[in-house]
Amino acid sequence: MTIGGWRGLLQGREGELLLDLVFVFVLTRFSQRLIEDFTTDRQVVLPEVGQTVLLLLALWMIWVHAAWVTSRVEPEQPVTQLLIVWTMFGSMIIAVTLPHAFGARGLLFAITYVAIQIGKPVILLIARRDRERHNPLRRLWWATASAVPWLAGAALFPQSPGRGALWTLAVAVDHAGLVSGWPVPGLGRTRAADWRRAGEYLAERYQQLIVITIGETILLTGATFADEFTPDRVAPSTLSFATAVLMWRIYFHRAGTVFVTAVQVAPHADRLSKSAYYTQLVMVAGILAAGVGYALVIREPGGHQNPVWLAVILGGPALFLAGRSCLEYEVFARLSPSRLLGLVALAAATPALLHRAPLFAAATATAVLAGVATWDAIGERRHPGEAPSPPR
């Protein structure tokens, strides 16, 4: 293909492809941290997992906020490319700090996060001289407000629950600002029309993020398998790869494929865009948890079952199916029986798997997802080409 052909294929958004590749590294580092939460000998695991979930919310905000900002500017403009490069570099530093964000590298994590979030509206304010300057001004106001607990938590509480409390407040401020449209007295808030325009773009970006998240689980599978290439790791590695393929198949079955169209035809596109913000987050969390669960099984395929491990081996696919059920409702105003039955099957299998080897739990999760995908394939042949019909 010619260079012009590639540019036509990417529609001038090759910078976003680079950002997504950086986020593969970010998600891999996140998964490594989560694996450490479940394998390091600690008295209490739940606080460590809670910290990791908090970091995931921060990563989600970085990615979504970058996608929102770039949805409002032309991809080939220098300011857009600068925004992407700024986010890419900051995300790389964030990834480096992730395993020790609640330890020695916490201050660097907080400074980098704040720099990313404040830097983007500042760049836009410098570049823009039109009446739309109030949009980056609102985002700058909210980013500055959340910067206080981010930096205070890192600087004043090196290793204590105080850091977690302040960072939880900071994440809450960031997410509340985005969902509410960054309201600021005298500057207004994001309009419904802006949500529609951004929502169509975000729908495409969500699809891309799901793909790279699934790709990250395959990368994690291969890396874990390669650490110790032994026969007993073949089966769990195969199950992990099959699960990644099944999640890809389930996500893009109908609702995932026509999600962009659903935003375009929705009578209240702003509501659909806001609900998708949470739905996609749940699915991303489920995919990451599933990948971590299978990586644990690959490391110890014949070991004794750990109830905490079971929470990610089965909980990851369950989160994914729950999020996918919500997506189905957002697009078609109905719930798919296959996903609900899959959730019931995972819950019903949990007691029987509490004292079995981790490999049995992994095989069960894969079998349930295979059943959901098979149900979808049968339904596709019976009712092809269903059009989106979002709730009114």
Side-chain angles (χ1 to χ4, degrees):
M1 297 179 65
T2 64
I3 293 177
W6 275 110
R7 290 187 64 82
L9 177 64
L10 294 172
Q11 297 179 336
R13 297 195 177 275
E14 55 272 12
E16 293 169 359
L17 176 60
L18 282 174
L19 176 60
D20 287 346
L21 292 176
V22 171
F23 255 80
V24 172
F25 174 54
V26 173
L27 295 177
T28 299
R29 294 285 288 178
F30 173 83
S31 296
Q32 291 170 347
R33 177 188 167 90
L34 191 55
I35 289 173
E36 289 180 6
D37 290 341
F38 288 107
T39 55
T40 304
D41 186 18
R42 295 186 175 98
Q43 293 289 333
V44 183
V45 176
L46 190 59
E48 302 294 334
V49 175
Q51 292 174 359
T52 303
V53 171
L54 183 63
L55 295 176
L56 175 61
L57 294 175
L59 297 177
W60 180 251
M61 175 55 61
I62 291 174
W63 187 90
V64 171
H65 190 265
W68 173 279
V69 171
T70 54
S71 73
R72 303 182 59 83
V73 290
E74 291 298 324
E76 296 183 354
Q77 288 185 356
V79 64
T80 308
Q81 297 170 1
L82 179 58
L83 286 169
I84 293 174
V85 171
W86 181 265
T87 306
M88 283 169 50
F89 182 72
S91 298
M92 183 184 70
I93 302 301
I94 287 285
V96 172
T97 66
L98 270 179
H100 308 286
F102 276 86
R105 298 178 186 173
L107 185 58
L108 179 58
F109 174 89
I111 290 174
T112 306
Y113 178 91
V114 168
I116 294 173
Q117 298 301 85
I118 288 182
K120 285 178 289 188
V122 167
I123 291 172
L124 287 173
L125 283 172
I126 294 173
R128 304 194 73 155
R129 293 291 184 270
D130 54 21
R131 58 189 180 87
E132 293 295 323
R133 281 171 58 87
H134 60 275
N135 289 322
L137 270 175
R138 291 198 306 265
R139 292 193 290 271
L140 178 60
W141 191 95
W142 278 84
T144 304
S146 73
V148 176
W150 275 118
L151 296 176
L156 303 180
F157 301 95
Q159 292 186 4
S160 74
R163 174 176 293 183
L166 284 174
W167 282 9
T168 300
L169 173 61
V171 166
V173 170
D174 283 332
H175 286 261
L178 188 148
V179 173
S180 62
W182 298 287
V184 175
L187 296 176
R189 69 172 68 211
T190 302
R191 298 165 298 180
D194 295 328
W195 271 106
R196 175 179 291 277
R197 183 166 60 251
E200 295 174 7
Y201 173 77
L202 283 172
E204 296 179 357
R205 295 291 286 137
Y206 286 143
Q207 292 174 333
Q208 295 162 8
L209 182 62
I210 291 293
V211 170
I212 69 168
T213 306
I214 293 174
E216 186 278 332
T217 66
I218 296 175
L219 177 64
L220 182 62
T221 296
T224 308
F225 190 16
D227 284 342
E228 191 174 334
F229 194 79
T230 56
D232 60 344
R233 291 189 169 199
V234 173
S237 298
T238 302
L239 289 172
S240 181
F241 180 81
T243 297
V245 173
L246 288 167
M247 288 191 290
W248 162 66
R249 176 68 180 86
I250 292 169
Y251 177 83
F252 281 100
H253 174 73
R254 290 188 177 175
T257 302
V258 302
F259 182 47
V260 178
T261 305
V263 175
Q264 294 171 347
V265 303
H268 301 286
D270 54 328
R271 296 180 189 173
L272 179 56
S273 299
K274 292 176 182 178
S275 63
Y277 172 80
Y278 298 106
T279 300
Q280 303 291 331
L281 172 60
V282 170
M283 284 188 284
V284 166
I287 294 169
L288 291 172
V292 167
Y294 279 90
L296 293 172
V297 178
I298 295 170
R299 289 166 63 128
E300 297 186 32
H304 296 292
Q305 183 61 276
N306 186 327
V308 180
W309 288 18
L310 197 62
V312 285
I313 297 172
L314 298 183
L319 265 181
F320 172 74
L321 289 178
R324 186 55 180 75
S325 297
C326 293
L327 178 65
E328 191 90 7
Y329 182 78
E330 290 169 348
V331 174
F332 295 119
R334 60 170 170 75
L335 294 176
S336 173
S338 64
R339 284 128 182 90
L340 299 179
L341 289 175
L343 287 170
V344 172
L346 289 171
T350 300
L353 294 169
L354 283 173
H355 304 291
R356 304 299 297 271
L359 185 59
F360 286 98
T364 299
T366 304
V368 169
L369 291 176
V372 173
T374 301
W375 185 308
D376 289 345
I378 295 173
E380 179 68 27
R381 287 196 293 268
R382 291 179 178 175
H383 308 284
E386 184 178 5
S389 179
R392 294 189 177 273

